[in-house]
Amino acid sequence: MSLSLNPKALKGGLPGIRQFANQLINYPDAINLTIGQPDFPTPESIKQAGICSIEQNLTTYSHNAGVIELREAAVAFFKEKYDCHYNAVDEIIVTNGASQAIDSVFRTIFEEGDEIILPAPIYSGYEPIIQFCGAKVVYLDTTDTNFQPSAERLEKLITPKTKAVLFNFPSNPTGATISHEQMDELAKVLANQDVYIISDEIYSENTFEGEHRSFGAYPELKDKLFLIHGLSKSHSMTGWRIGFLMTSAKLLAEVVKIHAYNAICAALPSQYAAIEALTNCKDIPSEMNKQYIDRRDYVYDRLIAMGIEVQKPTGAFYIFPSIKKFGLSSQEFAIRLMKEGGVGAIPGSVFTPYGEGYLRITYAYAPSKLKEGLDRLEAFIQTL
């Protein structure tokens, strides 16, 4: 007797970023600029809050939606920073990172045959889960609009099959942000459409120019908006796995069911650490951003000096230079850069077909590492 597996699982694989990054184990001397993870340690007071919760035996389950103190701290934070108004009792849940929030939302709303619009290029972790839910991705090309989604193009893509539109700004992989004027146009279109809006704003605290505006600041969108956030990037807490999902009480009641069966709750020590992050460490992201901006400017200037076409990022900690001039596919370029140049970076094709011809470089690394990596990149392109 031969046991079978879910064919959708068999078709899938590790996220494209990880598939490529994992190859670097075979090149131990390569400079790794692949993974989007802050290189700063978690701030000391946040670590101590987690340690204190363990010492006080706060290591049990919490409410499925998270401890009320954290939910209150989170809604207060998002109200103060981004003018988002949610009720701590029934309009927010704490998840195991933003990734689990995304998965829970997808599995709550999608039915077989549904369509979702993604501005592209975009983070590679969304599409496999969408497909696992039986839905189909429709791309909104942003490569000729400075990586900002056009409201006019979006409206033309919406059909009776469209169940949702997803945004991820500041953007992974491009580092682009949406101007306030462009967001107003997008909100105007979406307010008149019968579609859900999923806004992954995990990098909002890593906004370098202007102020981040959240889709949660538009009251007319609240009844169909899923606002996703977390502390991984903002407070250098990737391993603590704390995310947030905010939406209307009616929608949240359904998502909590999926979340409860999937994870029960987020780890309690991490939740208490998160309270400290959102109350007494609100200035930490801006301190980190000072260094990110210095690193961004250095990487951008070096790439321009090499004659590489690139848009200056205004958020997150990624830069997305064009490598089209070299006549190689992004996979070929990245593999040769790794093997011959000793630098790990992610091929743009990982981020949908619209990322072909680009390379994602992460600058969340020490300046000395960035210098060595760019020195090697410069030497490599001189061989092409």
Side-chain angles (χ1 to χ4, degrees):
M1 176 179 168
S2 177
L3 295 174
S4 62
L5 295 171
N6 186 330
K8 291 179 181 177
L10 293 174
K11 286 181 181 178
L14 286 173
I17 297 170
R18 291 288 178 171
Q19 285 183 34
F20 200 88
N22 289 349
Q23 295 181 49
L24 287 167
I25 194 171
N26 300 315
Y27 303 92
D29 295 327
I31 299 295
N32 185 352
L33 305 179
T34 61
I35 301 299
Q37 175 167 261
D39 68 332
F40 304 104
T42 301
E44 194 61 32
S45 67
I46 297 175
K47 292 191 289 187
Q48 289 303 316
I51 292 169
C52 184
S53 72
I54 295 171
E55 291 176 339
Q56 294 179 7
N57 293 318
L58 297 173
T59 55
T60 61
Y61 295 130
S62 75
H63 186 286
N64 292 128
V67 296
I68 189 63
E69 295 89 348
L70 176 53
R71 286 181 276 154
E72 289 171 343
V75 297
F77 179 86
F78 292 110
K79 179 181 178 181
E80 176 187 350
K81 288 297 297 284
Y82 304 122
D83 195 30
C84 300
H85 297 264
Y86 290 95
N87 188 308
V89 174
D90 58 4
E91 293 185 332
I92 182 172
I93 57 173
V94 184
T95 58
N96 287 284
S99 297
Q100 197 240 327
I102 292 164
D103 178 67
S104 296
V105 170
F106 286 173
R107 290 198 287 146
T108 299
I109 68 174
F110 286 131
E111 301 171 80
E112 199 78 31
D114 284 342
E115 293 183 355
I116 176 172
I117 298 171
L118 302 184
I122 197 168
Y123 172 60
S124 61
Y126 303 123
E127 188 164 357
I129 310 172
I130 292 165
Q131 292 173 340
F132 198 84
C133 293
K136 175 186 174 183
V137 168
V138 174
Y139 296 122
L140 169 60
D141 183 8
T142 67
T143 55
D144 60 350
T145 55
N146 297 319
F147 298 124
Q148 291 195 31
S150 160
E152 182 180 358
R153 286 184 185 176
L154 172 62
E155 188 168 25
K156 290 178 179 178
L157 288 177
I158 295 174
T159 73
K161 290 185 177 181
T162 306
K163 176 65 73 72
V165 180
L166 185 147
F167 299 101
N168 168 222
F169 290 93
S171 164
N172 176 6
T174 68
T177 53
I178 306 181
S179 69
H180 291 187
E181 294 77 16
Q182 188 65 19
M183 283 200 74
D184 289 344
E185 291 298 316
L186 291 166
K188 184 178 179 180
V189 168
L190 292 166
N192 296 315
Q193 298 289 341
D194 191 20
V195 298
Y196 291 118
I197 305 143
I198 304 164
S199 186
D200 180 359
E201 302 181 20
I202 189 72
Y203 292 100
S204 70
E205 290 289 281
N206 303 114
T207 299
F208 306 143
E209 296 179 15
E211 294 182 357
H212 174 78
R213 177 176 288 179
S214 172
F215 278 100
Y218 294 88
E220 63 271 28
L221 302 181
K222 183 174 179 178
D223 288 344
K224 50 190 174 184
L225 173 67
F226 296 95
L227 178 58
I228 292 167
H229 216 293
L231 300 180
S232 291
K233 317 297 183 178
S234 61
H235 289 76
S236 197
M237 294 178 66
T238 51
W240 295 81
R241 308 312 301 136
I242 289 292
F244 304 106
L245 169 63
M246 289 161 277
T247 188
S248 67
K250 180 180 178 181
L251 293 175
L252 195 84
E254 303 307 319
V255 181
V256 166
K257 299 174 188 176
I258 302 296
H259 165 72
Y261 285 116
N262 176 270
I264 301 179
C265 64
L268 203 56
S270 294
Q271 292 193 55
Y272 282 102
I275 294 171
E276 173 68 13
L278 291 174
T279 53
N280 296 322
C281 297
K282 291 187 285 187
D283 295 331
I284 288 294
S286 61
E287 292 302 311
M288 293 181 183
N289 283 348
K290 293 175 183 177
Q291 296 192 50
Y292 288 140
I293 291 170
D294 287 343
R295 297 174 189 185
R296 175 202 66 176
D297 291 348
Y298 173 75
V299 174
Y300 175 78
D301 290 344
R302 286 291 306 272
L303 292 172
I304 292 294
M306 294 178 206
I308 295 176
E309 181 183 344
V310 62
Q311 180 174 308
K312 194 172 190 176
T314 50
F317 31 67
Y318 309 103
I319 194 164
F320 206 56
S322 170
I323 54 169
K324 296 174 184 177
K325 64 184 287 184
F326 299 108
L328 300 172
S329 72
S330 59
Q331 281 280 348
E332 291 171 327
F333 187 97
I335 289 170
R336 287 187 59 182
L337 176 62
M338 178 174 59
K339 292 181 177 180
E340 301 170 25
V343 179
I346 303 296
S349 57
V350 163
F351 306 101
T352 79
Y354 290 92
E356 180 54 63
Y358 295 88
L359 188 74
R360 193 194 78 172
I361 296 172
T362 307
Y363 53 86
Y365 294 96
S368 59
K369 193 170 184 179
L370 293 174
K371 181 182 184 304
E372 178 63 25
L374 289 164
D375 287 346
R376 294 185 185 188
L377 172 62
E378 185 171 18
F380 169 72
I381 64 175
Q382 289 173 355
T383 68
L384 298 177

